Amino acid sequence: MSDISITPELNSKKLKDGTQRIQIPITLNKKHCRIATEYSVHEKFWNTERHEVLKGASHRDSY
């Protein structure tokens, strides 16, 4: 059986508006791939421990 690991993270590069794109790194059988989403969020609204957008963030805080 294949081992799959999927954990969302923020891209380290900031966009012009100061947000960072949310990307999905995927590992399948020790092969790595990153898929960028169309969503971005300010770093202060990202929970690094749980890998998710904070509950208090509104839709205006992310794009």
Side-chain angles (χ1 to χ4, degrees):
M1 184 163 187
S2 303
D3 291 328
I4 299 175
S5 172
I6 301 173
T7 306
E9 63 183 24
L10 286 183
N11 190 332
S12 59
K13 182 180 176 183
K14 290 189 179 183
L15 301 174
K16 290 180 182 180
D17 61 1
T19 61
Q20 292 171 270
R21 185 137 347 250
I22 298 172
Q23 59 186 12
I24 311 293
I26 300 173
T27 303
L28 175 61
N29 295 329
K30 299 182 182 180
K31 294 183 181 181
H32 305 284
C33 173
R34 281 194 168 79
I35 299 173
T37 66
E38 61 183 64
Y39 300 102
S40 61
V41 67
H42 287 279
E43 187 175 14
K44 65 183 177 181
F45 296 112
W46 183 255
N47 184 338
T48 56
E49 293 177 7
R50 298 188 69 189
H51 304 281
E52 64 184 13
V53 177
L54 294 174
K55 292 180 181 177
S58 70
H59 71 285
R60 284 175 261 151
D61 299 323
S62 59
Y63 301 93

